[in-house]
């Protein structure tokens, strides 16, 4: 009997992040990352349950920056909005401003 060779599954292409929702739950820190294409990536933040909110926000921003670099070869900036609830934070994600190289000096 001949078997078909299994195809390797490709990692999904995530869209460019445009926002983050971070929630403190009794089970730990949860996140949702919204993309410009309308998708959403949700999961648990890889930090201890008793992590301080500012450290959890820093970890979420770092995670999004790493995903952007890995999947899109781009840098992003994360700016956190003032909290509306004591257990919930939102952030806006924007593409980092690329610094243009200086034009060559005509005097040489």
């Amino acid at each position: 009997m001949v078997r078909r060779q299994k195809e390797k599954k490709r990692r999904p292409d995530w869209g460019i992040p445009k926002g983050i929702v971070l929630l403190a739950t009794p089970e730990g820190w949860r996140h949702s990352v919204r993309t410009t294409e309308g998708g959403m990536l949700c999961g648990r933040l890889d930090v201890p349950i008793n992590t301080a909110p500012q450290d959890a926000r820093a970890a979420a921003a770092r995670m999004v920056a790493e995903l952007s670099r890995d999947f899109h070869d781009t840098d992003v900036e994360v700016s956190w909005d003032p909290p509306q609830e004591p257990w919930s934070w939102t952030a806006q994600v924007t593409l980092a401003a690329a610094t243009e190289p200086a034009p060559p000096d005509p005097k040489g």
Side-chain angles (χ1 to χ4, degrees), residues 34-77:
R34 295 170 297 161
T35 67
T36 56
E37 292 82 9
M40 189 170 286
L41 170 66
C42 301
R44 181 173 299 165
L45 197 57
D46 191 21
V47 296
I49 291 173
N50 60 349
T51 299
Q54 65 271 16
D55 295 334
R57 289 192 303 267
R62 192 171 37 256
M63 176 198 66
V64 168
E66 289 172 357
L67 285 173
S68 296
R69 246 180 262 117
D70 290 348
F71 285 100
H72 301 290
D73 292 324
T74 188
D75 290 323
V76 295
E77 296 175 352

Side-chain angles (χ1 to χ4, degrees), residues 86-107:
W87 44 268
S88 171
W89 294 266
T90 58
Q92 304 305 312
V93 180
T94 55
L95 294 177
T99 56
E100 300 268 335
D105 187 5
K107 296 178 184 175

